[in-house]
Structures are given as C-alpha cells and as structure tokens.
Amino acid sequence: MNQDYILPNNWSIIEEGFNAESVKSSESLFSLGNGAMGQRANFEEHYSGDTFQGSYIAGVYYPDKTKVGWWKNGYPKYFAKVLNAPNWIGIDVEINGENLDLASCKEIKNFRRELNMKEGWYSRSFDVVLKNDTEISVKTLRFLSLDIDELGAIKYEVTPINTDAKVVFRPYLDAGIENEDTNWEEKFWETLSIKNDENKAFIVARTLKTKFTVATFMQNSILVNNTTADVLPVEVKKGTSSISFSYEIAATKGQTVAIQKLGGYTVSTNHEEDYLIIAAKKVLQEAQSLGFEELLNKQKDVWSKIWEMSDITIEGDVKAQQGIRFNIFHLNQTYLGKDSRLNIGPKGFTGEKYGGSTYWDTEAYCIPFYMATKDQNVARSLLEYRYNQLDKAIENAQNNLGFKNGAALYPMVTMNGEECHNEWEITHEEIHRNGAIAFAIYNYHRYTGDYSYIPEKGLEVLIGIARFWFQRATFSTHKNKFVILGVTGPNEYENNVNNNWYTNYIAKWCIDYTIEQIHKIEKEYPSDYTRILNKVGLSTTEISEMKKVADNMYFPYSEEYGVYLQQDGFLDKELITVANLDKSQRPINQKWSWDRILRSPYIKQADILQGFYFFEDHFTKEQLEKHFDFYEPFTVHESSLSPCVHSIQAAVLGRMEQAYTFYLRTSRLDLDDYNKEVHEGLHITSMAGTWMSIVEGFGGMRVKNDKLHFNPKIPKEWNSYSFKVNFRNTIVKVEVNHQETKVSVEGNQEMDIIINGKKYNCHAELISASKK
C-alpha cells in the first residue's frame, strides 16, 4: 500500500481535504466513462498545479511512429496512442476580477470529492479564500450519460460567503490538445471549423493520419438560486482551436449562481462526417428537453439496472466491499457491449499508458466477467472482434515472421488488428497471447453452452492459431522433443527465454483442442466442415503433422524440486526469495535496471500458476500446492494481473488468509496504489480478475460437464457475501455466510447445481447447511 486517503465507504469513493500531491492520483480514481467516451477527473476550473488532463473517445486513436534506437526487422511501424480528445468540460471561473485556481488561492477549506458508484456521478465541494479575500463556496456535479452516450453534463455552483461578488463563468471547448506521451511531440488533431449559436458551440476536428472526425459540443445555461436565468454570453472568444463564452452574474452574499453545461462528442464512426454538428444539435435538443435533473434520474435508473445483475455484496468488511464495487463500476464504465467494434483497453478512459485498446487481458480475464454479468451476446461480440481481425493476424505472422499457409499471430496490442506495440521483444516474443484467444473460445462454449460460434467463425481462428504453433515449434534432436525458443511468457521479467512452460503448454493445448473441434464439426456440422476446410485449405496430412507436435512437446521440469520450470534456465538464477529483498528496492521495475531484473529470479506474474488456473482439471491439487509454494515466494506481483490468480489458487488450497490478502491487493490495487503508478491511470482489465477472485476463488464457481459447481469459502473478516451469475440465460444468486450457502434461481426455471460435490435440483431457493 502506498496511499491511504480514500475514505472507506460501501458505495462511494470519497476524498476529504485538499492535497496537491494527490491530485493526479485522484484524477485517475474518480474518472468517469460510459462505454463511448470517458475522462479523468480533472477540475472544470483552471488549475495551475500538477495535473494530467485527459478526455478519451472509444475507438479513436493515432498511429504515433515507433521511436527506437536501432530498427529491427519486425518492429511495428507505429505505437497506437489512446488519443487525448478535445476538452469539453472546461469552465474558467472569475470572482471579483480574480481567477479561481486551487493551486494559488489563499486557503482551501472543506474540500470533498465523491464518486458515487451506485448512481454514476462525480461531485466536488469546497470553500476557498481567494487572493482578493473573497470567500466562496463551490459545488460541482458531473456525469457521463449511459442513456445518451454521446452526452455529458455538469452543474457548477458558486455561492459568495463573505461579500457580494461579480461571478464570471467562461465555459470553453479546446481542440488544441496534446497527449501526455508522444514519441515525436506531434500534433494529433487538426481543427476544421469552429461555430457557435447563442449558448451553443461546436468544434469539428480531425485526427491526422487516421482521419477520425469529431464534433465536440457544448450548451450552457445560467441559474440563479436554482432557477434558470435568461442570460446570453457577453463575450465570445475564438482561437485557432478553441472557443469560450463569458457569462457575468451579480451574486449577492449567500446567493447561489450556477452554470449547467451539456457537452460531448459526435464521431464520424457513427455519423456521416458532414452531419456531425446536426447530430450534436439533436443530442443537445434531447438533453435540453429532459433537463439536468431528469438526465440525472435516468442515469441513476440505468446504473440501478446494471448493479441489479453485477453487484457483489460483502457484509462486515467495508474496504473489501468498496474495492469490488470500484472494480465492477469501472469495468461497466469502460465497456457495455453496445458496439462490437470496441474492446476493453488496459487503462480504459483513465489514462494513456500502454496504448492500444485490446490486449490478451480481454480473453484471459474480462470475458468471464462479461459472460456472467451480461447477456452472452456481449461475450460473443468480444470473440467476433478477433474473428474480424483474423486476416490481420495472418498478415502479421506472414510479413513479420515469414510464416505460411494461414498461420495467425494475433497482435500483443492492437486497435484495428495490426500490431501496434512498440517493443520488438514483446510483439514477437510474448506469443502466448495466441493461446488466450483460443482459450476464450473454449471458455465461452463451456460457460454458455452455445457451440454455434465455433462452426460459424471460431474454428477458422483456432486453425490459424494451431498453424502458428505448429510452425513456431522446433524439433530438438538433443531432447527428441519439440521446443519453442526465444519467447517471453506472462512473466515479463524473463525475456527471450527457451521453453517457457506456460507457452509450451498452451501451444500443445491449442493444437489438441483445434483438432478435437475439427473432428466434432466433421461429424455434426458437415456443411460447415466442408466450407471451412476448403476456405483455409486444411488437409488431413497437415492435421496429422500438427498432432505430432502437440504429442511431443517438451516441458522443462525439475526432478530435484518436483515442479515444472518457468523456463529452461530458471534454476541457474540466484534463488533469493522476495522476503529477503530489501523493501527499499520495491517495486523493482522502478528501482532496478532491466538487465538486473532479467537476471533475477523475481516474477512479475506467475506463468505456471496462470497455466494451472486455465487448465485446473489437468493437474492434481497436490501439484498445484507444490508449484504455488515454489513460485509464490519469488513473485513480486508487479503486474496488475498477478494477485487475482494467486487469490484464486490460494482459495483452492484452502489458504484463506493468503487468498484474502491477495484479494485486497487486487481489489484495492489502484485505490491504495500498490505499484506507485495510479496517477497514470487505472488497471481496468485486471479489475475483471478481482471479480474472478470472489466468484471463482471464494465462491469456487466452476462449470463441469455442463453443470454449475460451487465450492464456497469465506474469509474470516467477512460476515457474508453474495453475487449473481447469468448461466445459460438463467440468473443464479449465491449467498454465503459462515454457516450455510444459499442458492436461488430467478423465475420459474429449475437447474441442477452442485455445491461441495452434492447435486441439488434448484427451483426457487436452495439452502446448503454445510459449514464453512
């Protein structure tokens, strides 16, 4: 834990007291999103202190040219920037001739901000004494509409405390935006037009290279004592890429004056370019007809429906409850499944680090959450996203690796199917991501029971991936086995190693699973079988050759320790455990050189435990225990994806104290800033792992033989917990306390459910009296 200023609360993230040192962290933590756009929690008014301004539009990106010292064949041509979009939230405020700026005022009192996760809004309030000795009270409330996802709304109130005041609100739009991280300090936007009409303004801007066109818009209204006043701007200022209005209001002491600002984006991905302003006016017209309060009420209603299905309740542990709701809230802010062209970026709408919108995190961590808390079509859309980019994956393997015959290597990072990660060592060594994409197809069928995706689209993806592994493996005459050389596993603290166990294992599994599906489709879907094999040119001879690779894959193993080795050279390292590492050296990725990290035994996230998580049924509990005990002491958990897997595995082993500790780390990774990097943005995709750590870890949920299984456990710190899952279009609620487990099925349906190994036929409510 590296920060502890967020107040414990079941439904809100709350900060009290102004601290300039935490501004950037709070901008991340209090971020807003609605699946179509999002923004960091920047102040509306001008702030001259250290800040990270960020607004983002889903699917809009910029191909920043890769910057490297020495070019290597295979380097991606660009690093896709999650693009900082034109700013619509800005409202400069002037009081009696002085600008409001929390970085330069005399005194700040009663500062408070709240992110209300239950209702989906963000607020701030504070009293401030300006340099001219005017004291005012400020209250703001902001939300991004889930109902009208091109729209956001702000209410900004000012009340003079010690004197009458001339209040000037200057709402503005600014398209002259730069990213925090640019390789060449390039401008990413060009402004095409700036227009205004009474209280409305529009800036149309286009991204260079990618040619996304966006209309950023605003409409303002002034209120005095909560009543709309007929006030027009006294001044309109247009710059080369900005526009601002000035509204002047005379406020008596104690009188509240406010500006309501509606704003947002219409984008050429959803509208004809010539009609972006017309589309924006329609959004504003609809919003204006509803009014701010009704828009807010609709926001609360939509969030209520989301929470009805996705909430996890925890009784007796407020920090644990706050942590899981924070994770679920941001997952739903980032992706709602409305647009199949979109995916779940690792920072969502909270920052720019990493670039790209799609990592293997989606398939490995996020799909289980969306399968269980949404309609299964949402998860299917995430699978189809990869199918739609299969051609690009084949091009990637062909053009960069020289592979043939339809072998597919999916990108480590992508926006449109092309690889856009800027490190050669990651893009062409961390090939295990191919396996997660195949596993997601298997996992989707296992959970939903919907096999139709595989003959329709999935098998083509599986064949491309299997062909990749077949061609990537090398036969070692020394070992008389197939090996996979020069890779990086999920543990990125070992680069360019040979025979990473996780990579070899998932490669074998992918080939075996693909061949199994080929035979199944041949028997049960003959027309699809003929269509697919003709399309991809797959022969029985090639299938046989692929099978030989899978059957003869090499897996490094230590007879001395009785464990699979992360890679061939792991035991050559100086095996000093994390417990013996000086705390002043943590996190090592911020304190050590990369060379020192690569020579160390320290694990960013466990490769082998990830494999044991995916393929739990392939190993005994005793094997899991032995590998957990061997590798966890070397694991520094400096990947956000690490603690959740360890929490699940510790729960399987009945080590609830460890499982609980890892759960807190994953659920409060950002709230408590474990890795000292929350100012850069939140870890959105690992948040799905937090959900898994409760549902699959403590709840012990598994799908076996088409049946839902639970093996519930409960941390001693909790009184009870509950969650819902949508299993094959039936809503199942699970409630666990220290005495019993209750399972109920909604509606008139019935279902066989296995709890602690015993089958129950569940109609309405089931009580298992087993002790926890």
Side-chain angles (χ1 to χ4, degrees):
M1 181 187 298
N2 292 303
Q3 66 184 24
D4 188 24
Y5 67 88
I6 299 300
L7 301 182
N9 186 281
N10 284 329
W11 276 109
S12 289
I13 308 302
I14 298 170
E15 175 185 6
E16 290 184 347
F18 181 76
N19 179 3
E21 297 299 316
S22 65
V23 166
K24 290 174 75 173
S25 293
S26 293
E27 287 174 342
S28 295
L29 295 175
F30 291 81
S31 294
L32 291 174
N34 65 3
M37 63 175 171
Q39 56 198 203
R40 292 171 60 82
N42 306 116
F43 299 157
E44 290 88 356
E45 74 276 1
H46 176 70
Y47 180 67
S48 60
D50 194 15
T51 181
F52 173 3
Q53 192 279 329
S55 296
Y56 309 100
I57 304 169
V60 174
Y61 68 96
Y62 183 86
D64 203 10
K65 184 181 177 183
T66 296
K67 191 170 189 176
V68 294
W70 291 95
W71 189 269
K72 298 177 184 177
N73 288 336
Y75 265 125
K77 295 181 176 62
Y78 66 90
F79 183 56
K81 298 298 184 186
V82 175
L83 199 56
N84 204 337
N87 178 11
W88 67 263
I89 70 166
I91 306 171
D92 288 341
V93 181
E94 181 186 298
I95 310 294
N96 287 339
E98 184 177 332
N99 290 327
L100 172 60
D101 181 354
L102 294 184
S104 61
C105 57
K106 277 188 175 180
E107 185 180 6
I108 303 169
K109 298 182 288 186
N110 304 318
F111 183 91
R112 184 182 190 274
R113 59 170 131 197
E114 175 181 358
L115 180 66
N116 187 300
M117 300 180 291
K118 187 174 186 178
E119 299 179 346
W121 49 261
Y122 162 60
S123 69
R124 280 187 306 139
S125 59
F126 56 88
D127 300 334
V128 61
V129 179
L130 304 176
K131 288 180 179 178
N132 62 12
D133 292 322
T134 303
E135 184 173 359
I136 60 170
S137 177
V138 174
K139 292 182 180 179
T140 75
L141 190 144
R142 184 159 100 216
F143 62 92
L144 298 182
S145 174
L146 297 185
D147 194 50
I148 308 171
D149 63 12
E150 294 172 319
L151 177 77
I154 300 168
K155 186 175 185 179
Y156 195 107
E157 298 179 313
V158 173
T159 306
I161 294 175
N162 65 343
T163 183
D164 296 345
K166 177 185 175 183
V167 178
V168 180
F169 292 120
R170 293 193 178 93
Y172 63 86
L173 304 176
D174 181 11
I177 296 298
E178 297 180 2
N179 267 48
E180 282 274 309
D181 61 336
T182 61
N183 287 338
W184 303 94
E185 288 71 50
E186 284 185 279
K187 295 284 187 182
F188 295 160
W189 294 92
E190 59 174 337
T191 300
L192 303 182
S193 67
I194 301 175
K195 297 181 179 180
N196 62 287
D197 176 15
E198 291 188 332
N199 291 306
K200 303 183 187 72
F202 310 88
I203 295 181
V204 178
R206 180 186 292 144
T207 61
L208 302 172
K209 296 184 181 178
T210 42
K211 303 301 181 184
F212 294 105
T213 306
V214 174
T216 308
F217 58 85
M218 69 173 176
Q219 179 172 335
N220 311 292
S221 56
I222 302 299
L223 292 83
V224 178
N225 286 335
N226 216 30
T227 300
T228 302
D230 188 15
V231 179
L232 291 174
V234 296
E235 183 181 32
V236 177
K237 282 189 176 180
K238 291 184 181 180
T240 57
S241 57
S242 64
I243 183 170
S244 67
F245 294 164
S246 293
Y247 297 91
E248 296 181 358
I249 310 101
T252 59
K253 178 180 174 181
Q255 184 181 51
T256 299
V257 296
I259 181 171
Q260 287 182 358
K261 182 177 185 181
L262 303 174
Y265 308 104
T266 50
V267 188
S268 59
T269 52
N270 301 317
H271 304 280
E272 292 292 332
E273 189 171 309
D274 293 341
Y275 292 91
L276 290 174
I277 290 180
I278 293 172
K281 287 181 176 179
K282 287 182 179 179
V283 170
L284 289 171
Q285 184 178 14
E286 181 180 1
Q288 192 70 14
S289 66
L290 291 168
F292 187 90
E293 295 303 323
E294 183 58 25
L295 285 167
L296 182 58
N297 287 335
K298 284 180 173 290
Q299 182 80 345
K300 295 174 183 178
D301 289 344
V302 177
W303 272 108
S304 177
K305 290 181 175 66
I306 290 172
W307 285 116
E308 176 63 26
M309 184 60 223
S310 63
D311 190 22
I312 292 179
T313 68
I314 298 172
E315 296 293 335
D317 189 341
V318 175
K319 281 200 166 186
Q321 177 69 89
Q322 183 181 43
I324 188 59
R325 282 184 173 145
F326 179 75
N327 285 258
I328 293 169
F329 178 74
H330 278 289
L331 284 165
N332 280 292
Q333 286 203 127
T334 303
Y335 183 81
L336 289 164
K338 292 181 179 180
D339 189 339
S340 62
R341 297 169 297 177
L342 303 178
N343 210 285
I344 306 113
K347 291 295 181 189
F349 298 117
T350 71
E352 299 160 18
K353 189 178 178 182
Y354 302 129
S357 67
T358 312
Y359 284 56
W360 71 290
D361 308 20
T362 292
E363 283 75 21
Y365 298 89
C366 297
I367 279 181
F369 170 79
Y370 289 101
M371 281 195 301
T373 65
K374 308 288 183 194
D375 184 279
Q376 71 182 43
N377 289 327
V378 173
R380 183 170 174 133
S381 290
L382 290 170
L383 298 183
E384 289 177 348
Y385 179 93
R386 294 293 194 177
Y387 173 79
N388 292 335
Q389 295 180 352
L390 177 58
D391 289 346
K392 294 284 188 182
I394 292 171
E395 286 178 19
N396 187 29
Q398 177 178 305
N399 296 341
N400 293 319
L401 300 178
F403 285 10
K404 303 174 182 178
N405 198 32
L409 175 60
Y410 277 92
M412 183 64 183
V413 182
T414 192
M415 282 288 190
N416 62 1
E418 296 176 330
E419 179 64 73
C420 63
H421 195 286
N422 65 343
E423 296 178 44
W424 186 92
E425 292 78 2
I426 296 297
T427 60
H428 297 307
E429 290 181 6
E430 202 162 338
I431 54 178
H432 66 83
R433 74 262 190 172
N434 251 17
I437 291 165
F439 183 83
I441 295 173
Y442 158 76
N443 202 20
Y444 171 80
H445 170 232
R446 175 176 63 174
Y447 186 85
T448 67
D450 173 22
Y451 190 75
S452 66
Y453 175 74
I454 297 178
E456 289 174 14
K457 297 179 179 180
L459 185 59
E460 293 178 47
V461 173
L462 292 173
I463 290 170
I465 289 172
R467 280 172 158 166
F468 170 81
W469 292 123
F470 169 65
Q471 295 180 43
R472 186 63 170 78
T474 303
F475 185 74
S476 166
T477 54
H478 172 68
K479 291 182 170 64
N480 198 31
K481 292 280 185 181
F482 285 95
V483 296
I484 301 180
L485 309 176
V487 302
T488 298
N491 172 30
E492 294 172 332
Y493 288 176
E494 293 184 312
N495 287 166
N496 198 24
V497 299
N498 295 333
N499 296 307
N500 170 258
W501 179 87
Y502 173 80
T503 303
N504 286 23
Y505 198 88
I506 208 164
K508 169 185 166 53
W509 177 85
C510 284
I511 294 173
D512 285 338
Y513 181 65
T514 300
I515 293 172
E516 180 185 329
Q517 301 319 301
I518 290 170
H519 292 327
K520 179 179 174 68
I521 291 170
E522 181 181 14
K523 291 178 182 178
E524 300 178 18
Y525 302 83
S527 61
D528 286 308
Y529 174 81
T530 301
R531 173 182 58 81
I532 293 167
L533 264 64
N534 286 340
K535 181 178 180 180
V536 303
L538 186 68
S539 67
T540 55
T541 300
E542 186 181 357
I543 294 171
S544 177
E545 291 299 310
M546 286 196 293
K547 182 64 174 167
K548 288 179 184 178
V549 171
D551 289 346
N552 293 281
M553 187 67 71
Y554 168 73
F555 302 110
Y557 185 80
S558 168
E559 296 289 348
E560 178 185 356
Y561 293 101
V563 296
Y564 292 109
L565 295 177
Q566 287 220 138
Q567 45 91 9
D568 276 342
F570 188 78
L571 292 182
D572 295 330
K573 300 187 176 191
E574 189 176 7
L575 299 179
I576 300 172
T577 63
V578 175
N580 293 305
L581 180 63
D582 190 329
K583 289 183 179 179
S584 68
Q585 300 299 299
R586 302 283 304 278
I588 62 173
N589 63 13
Q590 296 175 25
K591 301 295 179 67
W592 288 9
S593 70
W594 195 243
D595 172 75
R596 187 179 179 186
I597 289 172
L598 294 179
R599 289 185 286 108
S600 81
Y602 301 122
I603 300 168
K604 186 180 183 185
Q605 70 180 92
D607 293 22
I608 288 180
L609 293 186
Q610 179 73 39
F612 273 57
Y613 165 68
F614 272 172
F615 306 111
E616 183 178 66
D617 293 341
H618 297 192
F619 306 98
T620 66
K621 192 172 179 179
E622 289 72 25
Q623 284 178 302
L624 170 62
E625 185 170 38
K626 182 169 281 192
H627 286 81
F628 189 96
D629 288 342
F630 183 78
Y631 283 109
E632 199 285 322
F634 298 110
T635 306
V636 290
H637 303 290
E638 289 174 12
S639 165
S640 64
L641 302 173
S642 184
C644 62
V645 171
H646 282 77
S647 180
I648 294 168
Q649 304 294 43
V652 170
L653 296 172
R655 301 179 182 183
M656 291 306 292
E657 188 171 336
Q658 266 189 309
Y660 175 74
T661 298
F662 283 127
Y663 163 76
L664 278 187
R665 177 155 185 163
T666 184
S667 68
R668 300 188 65 86
L669 177 74
D670 292 317
L671 288 172
D672 296 338
D673 197 13
Y674 275 92
N675 290 342
K676 297 184 180 180
E677 58 186 11
V678 73
H679 59 281
E680 298 174 336
L682 305 179
H683 296 85
I684 300 299
T685 49
S686 70
M687 290 176 170
T690 302
W691 177 90
M692 285 162 31
S693 68
I694 293 182
V695 174
E696 299 182 8
F698 301 149
M701 186 184 81
R702 302 290 189 275
V703 179
K704 300 178 182 179
N705 300 319
D706 290 326
K707 295 288 191 295
L708 204 54
H709 291 239
F710 295 98
N711 185 23
K713 300 178 177 70
I714 183 169
K716 69 181 188 318
E717 292 82 0
W718 300 358
N719 298 328
S720 65
Y721 66 95
S722 70
F723 58 85
K724 288 182 179 180
V725 294
N726 180 357
F727 181 67
R728 302 189 178 184
N729 300 313
T730 298
I731 309 300
V732 179
K733 183 175 182 180
V734 179
E735 302 169 82
V736 181
N737 60 41
H738 290 277
Q739 288 73 44
E740 63 184 2
T741 296
K742 297 180 181 179
V743 177
S744 57
V745 174
E746 290 188 3
N748 298 319
Q749 295 173 289
E750 62 179 87
M751 179 183 292
D752 287 341
I753 296 176
I754 291 83
I755 301 177
N756 296 325
K758 184 178 179 180
K759 184 169 74 172
Y760 297 84
N761 183 258
C762 187
H763 293 272
E765 185 170 284
L766 163 70
I767 298 178
S768 169
S770 57
K771 272 235 177 185
K772 300 294 155 227

